[in-house]
Amino acid sequence: MKNIRNFCIIAHIDHGKSTLADRLLEHTKTISERDMQAQVLDDMDLEREKGITIKSHAIQINYAYNGEQYILNLIDTPGHVDFSYEVSRALAACEGALLLVDASQGIQAQTISNLYLAIDNNLEIIPVINKIDMDGAMIPEVTDQIVDLIGCKPEEILLASGKSGIGIEEILQAICERIPAPKGNVDEPLQALVFDSVFNSFRGIIVYYRILNGVIKKGDRIKFIATGAEYEAQEVGVLKLTMTPKNEVKAGDVGYVITGIKNAKEIKVGDTITVSGSNAEAIKGFEEVKPMVFAGIFPVETDAFEELRDCMEKLQLNDASLTFELETSQALGFGFRCGFLGLLHMEIIQERLEREFNQTVITTVPNVSFYAYSTRGEKILVNNPADMPDATKVDRIEEPFIKAQIITQSDYIGNIMTLCLGKRGILINQSYITPTRVELIFEMPLTEIVFDFYDKLKSQTRGYASFDYSPIGYREADIVRMDILLNGDKVDALGSLIHRSRAQDFGRKLCEKLKELLTRQQFQIAIQAAIGAKVIARENISAMRKDVTAKCYGGDISRKRKLLEKQKEGKKRMRQIGSVEVPQEAFLAVLKLD
């Protein structure tokens, strides 16, 4: 065990984690040249297209150092704030972390938040400055930033380039020297922490774990402590580029087990595996995930509901930060209320449903969860505009607030102030990290950053601002439910919970957008935005005129009048029972309002 090292790579987005992982695999000949490609650990098409890591990926490296053979278990992690739960799971399975900082960009918000996560887990940190061969590399400045942040000595910081392979040997040596070997006892009862799982349609669910104590052997009866289910370990092994079977996996190592489980509910990330009959305790794993953004996901065809449920369960295996529960909507039928960690996470889930499972889905307006206190003193959790009690029965509503940390160049302070104060933000602190880089801390309502805050922040600062946030509790706010009515009927899927000061402006824009998107009918359609009984915005789609007198040429005027009277009667009846079709684009349009 003294020659095993478990480590992960943490950094902000685009600081070169996956590229550095490529070089480590290449340098140690873990992957043959034939199998090598850029970002080799990102195995989803989506990850390659967007150039981001979505899943943490584990792989085992063999490395010879000082005449001894070392086993290095590397976990490559995502950098985007929406996938920080993946990072926390990877950290729980490691003893050390490479902290990567881009030489041309310096320390950014997500670097700091991932660093704190690693320090909370008592990990040994190895700071690495990456991309040192770029033209804009500011090595002395970035070295000072890292020294200020971590308090290490300048000579402990490694210089590297993932692209050209500079400094890779030094990183591998530092991993062997500085990261402690895993603690654990091979003779004690088996304790293994489940940190990930995937669904394979031929072999069932494949569970990834990190063993803290004991040994897992092929053919053992194993038990999952949280669910109490017992299975036979049909195959165990370690994770190379593909899964490599072994007869046993020992304490300190990272591996996989195949048991032929088909039911997705029986595996929980953060659970503990032990041998059946042993009295091993559950490992204190990671905290429960707290979704930030909620949206409804509905199948386009109502018959496809059961199939969608299966797909959601399989997806949840692979992405433990997705939560969902049943929901019904008058407009869309049966579906799920899903909790996501952010808007990018929601977009990725929707794409994965379409690509991996061929499910086309309708997504409703995303919103966050509020607490409504009734006049009787009851506390009601509101995840959905439909759950909101009647305005007359509500005493007060509390909305979630976050602490937002923005790091940017000092030229863009004005733009960021305007943006954040316009989103009901409160400036808490402003401090200069270096003469040209400033850290701004705001307290803001989560509702305001759900939609397009991140995109606007990037465009206002030409991509130089980095953003990270953490929840700080609930505060009272004037939140109202805004309904959209089509010819007097509520469309529940278009309803939203919004601050009263924003409601009129948002309602007007939404009505205008719907006017463009809804197809004209042979009767007039009234689109209204209303808070309770008060209509705050309205647009009309005028009736499409069907020329019934086209076939009358010449002849008596009474023939035309008779046809027009007949049409008038039909129009009346049509207006009484006329229903309006709402296209899929209308539900998505709400997300794209400026």
Side-chain angles (χ1 to χ4, degrees):
M1 243 174 79
K2 70 179 196 325
N3 286 4
I4 295 178
R5 299 286 181 270
N6 297 318
F7 72 101
C8 59
I9 306 180
I10 53 175
H12 191 78
I13 316 165
D14 276 348
H15 280 210
K17 293 177 291 299
S18 299
T19 313
L20 185 77
D22 287 356
R23 294 297 86 75
L24 292 171
L25 299 177
E26 216 172 50
H27 187 83
T28 53
K29 309 252 183 313
T30 304
I31 293 180
S32 65
E33 283 181 27
R34 193 181 65 182
D35 293 334
M36 195 64 210
Q37 51 176 333
Q39 280 88 35
V40 67
L41 291 179
D42 293 349
D43 49 12
M44 258 185 260
D45 296 344
L46 259 177
E47 293 181 310
R48 296 187 168 284
E49 279 170 32
K50 293 183 180 283
I52 55 175
T53 303
I54 294 167
K55 287 283 304 160
S56 296
H57 297 279
I59 189 164
Q60 193 174 88
I61 298 173
N62 294 77
Y63 176 62
Y65 175 59
N66 283 353
E68 293 189 42
Q69 281 295 328
Y70 283 84
I71 293 174
L72 313 179
N73 290 311
L74 152 69
I75 301 180
D76 180 27
T77 63
H80 196 282
V81 61
D82 280 12
F83 304 113
S84 54
Y85 186 62
E86 287 285 331
V87 181
S88 76
R89 286 157 46 188
L91 294 171
C94 293
E95 277 86 28
L98 294 181
L99 178 75
L100 233 59
V101 182
D102 185 330
S104 58
Q105 295 186 22
I107 283 175
Q108 294 190 291
Q110 202 57 32
T111 317
I112 295 176
S113 84
N114 283 344
L115 172 70
Y116 288 151
L117 274 177
I119 291 172
D120 289 346
N121 280 331
N122 295 325
L123 265 60
E124 179 65 37
I125 310 287
I126 300 178
V128 178
I129 298 180
N130 194 21
K131 307 189 186 179
I132 57 165
D133 53 349
M134 279 180 71
D135 295 341
M138 311 174 293
I139 298 169
E141 291 93 325
V142 177
T143 305
D144 294 344
Q145 288 176 24
I146 295 176
V147 170
D148 288 348
L149 183 67
I150 307 179
C152 62
K153 298 191 179 84
E155 57 270 19
E156 289 175 6
I157 300 171
L158 303 174
L159 302 180
S161 164
K163 198 159 225 168
S164 51
I166 304 168
I168 300 299
E169 184 63 35
E170 287 80 359
I171 291 176
L172 287 164
Q173 290 174 10
I175 290 166
C176 297
E177 286 169 10
R178 296 196 212 168
I179 295 178
K183 296 180 179 69
N185 192 337
V186 185
D187 304 324
E188 283 188 21
L190 173 67
Q191 270 185 311
L193 178 72
V194 176
F195 69 88
D196 204 356
S197 52
V198 289
F199 184 80
N200 181 312
S201 43
F202 302 107
R203 316 203 59 180
I205 293 163
I206 302 168
V207 180
Y208 298 157
Y209 53 79
R210 152 79 202 274
I211 302 186
L212 297 191
N213 288 314
V215 179
I216 187 167
K217 294 184 181 140
K218 186 177 176 178
D220 277 354
R221 284 289 294 173
I222 57 169
K223 174 178 163 192
F224 292 88
I225 291 181
T227 54
E230 293 193 10
Y231 297 96
E232 184 189 337
Q234 296 167 4
E235 183 183 305
V236 298
V238 293
L239 299 155
K240 293 286 177 102
L241 188 57
T242 52
M243 294 183 290
T244 310
K246 288 194 159 189
N247 287 327
E248 59 178 28
V249 182
K250 295 183 177 177
D253 229 335
V254 173
Y256 72 92
V257 60
I258 297 176
T259 54
I261 308 170
K262 288 283 190 284
N263 185 356
K265 289 196 177 74
E266 295 188 11
I267 299 294
K268 280 192 169 60
V269 165
D271 194 358
T272 306
I273 304 176
T274 183
V275 179
S276 68
S278 88
N279 54 0
E281 291 180 4
I283 303 163
K284 298 286 178 284
F286 351 88
E287 70 288 352
E288 280 289 302
V289 57
K290 295 184 191 72
M292 291 285 183
V293 177
F294 295 88
I297 284 188
F298 294 87
V300 176
E301 301 291 328
T302 38
D303 313 348
F305 170 71
E306 282 302 327
E307 198 182 330
L308 180 64
R309 185 208 296 259
D310 276 355
C311 298
M312 294 290 280
E313 284 177 358
K314 286 172 188 170
L315 199 53
Q316 193 180 31
L317 269 180
N318 199 271
D319 184 348
S321 48
L322 168 68
T323 57
F324 63 88
E325 56 191 36
L326 283 177
E327 180 183 48
T328 52
S329 150
Q330 294 160 354
L332 301 170
F334 287 104
F336 297 98
R337 189 86 197 151
C338 303
F340 307 99
L341 295 181
L343 272 197
L344 177 70
H345 186 209
M346 174 175 138
E347 195 184 310
I348 295 289
I349 292 290
Q350 202 177 339
E351 288 246 352
R352 285 184 71 182
L353 280 171
E354 288 186 9
R355 289 189 187 202
E356 295 173 28
F357 302 103
N358 293 328
Q359 292 287 319
T360 38
V361 291
I362 295 173
T363 315
T364 63
V365 189
N367 63 288
V368 302
S369 53
F370 299 89
Y371 279 115
Y373 291 85
S374 68
T375 43
R376 292 179 180 177
E378 296 167 336
K379 183 178 177 183
I380 305 156
L381 178 67
V382 181
N383 281 338
N384 183 351
D387 303 341
M388 183 78 143
D390 194 58
T392 52
K393 296 177 183 166
V394 174
D395 175 39
R396 68 182 195 279
I397 294 172
E398 292 185 351
E399 66 174 340
F401 261 70
I402 56 148
K403 178 176 148 194
Q405 176 194 32
I406 299 169
I407 296 181
T408 183
Q409 293 186 337
S410 45
D411 313 356
Y412 302 114
I413 293 179
N415 295 2
I416 290 176
M417 291 280 195
T418 313
L419 174 67
C420 293
L421 297 176
K423 297 270 188 191
R424 298 193 285 131
I426 307 156
L427 180 66
I428 300 297
N429 192 7
Q430 174 179 341
S431 57
Y432 280 83
I433 301 172
T434 68
T436 55
R437 288 170 69 77
V438 64
E439 178 186 49
L440 299 166
I441 292 180
F442 286 90
E443 287 184 356
M444 296 172 73
L446 182 60
T447 337
E448 299 289 342
I449 67 159
V450 161
F451 281 116
D452 53 359
F453 178 77
Y454 195 61
D455 299 343
K456 280 191 175 160
L457 179 70
K458 283 290 181 198
S459 57
Q460 297 274 359
T461 59
R462 300 188 189 157
Y464 276 111
S466 61
F467 169 69
D468 184 41
Y469 64 85
S470 53
I472 52 170
Y474 284 76
R475 296 183 188 176
E476 194 173 332
D478 190 6
I479 299 291
V480 291
R481 179 172 118 194
M482 188 178 77
D483 293 311
I484 297 293
L485 311 174
L486 294 180
N487 278 353
D489 294 334
K490 280 185 192 173
V491 182
D492 57 352
L494 286 173
S496 53
L497 296 167
I498 191 165
H499 196 265
R500 194 183 294 273
S501 62
R502 289 286 164 83
Q504 192 159 2
D505 189 35
F506 185 70
R508 191 177 298 121
K509 282 182 181 166
L510 191 51
C511 289
E512 285 167 8
K513 194 81 176 175
L514 287 172
K515 184 179 179 179
E516 290 169 25
L517 291 167
L518 296 182
T519 45
R520 286 173 69 186
Q521 309 284 348
Q522 289 187 25
F523 52 90
Q524 184 185 5
I525 303 173
I527 306 169
Q528 294 165 306
I531 297 174
K534 183 183 175 192
V535 175
I536 53 170
R538 171 174 176 145
E539 290 287 337
N540 289 333
I541 299 179
S542 51
M544 183 170 62
R545 184 166 177 268
K546 184 179 176 187
D547 194 357
V548 284
T549 57
K551 57 188 176 186
C552 291
Y553 43 92
D556 192 36
I557 185 70
S558 58
R559 284 180 63 202
K560 285 189 179 177
R561 192 165 289 143
K562 190 175 166 189
L563 281 170
L564 289 168
E565 287 296 326
K566 198 172 165 190
Q567 188 195 25
K568 205 178 196 176
E569 282 302 310
K571 279 274 175 75
K572 234 183 221 168
R573 193 163 64 244
M574 193 185 269
R575 194 171 305 127
Q576 283 164 3
I577 58 168
S579 62
V580 185
E581 266 189 22
V582 183
Q584 157 80 7
E585 289 82 56
F587 298 107
L588 298 175
V590 187
L591 311 183
K592 297 188 172 63
L593 283 180
D594 299 334

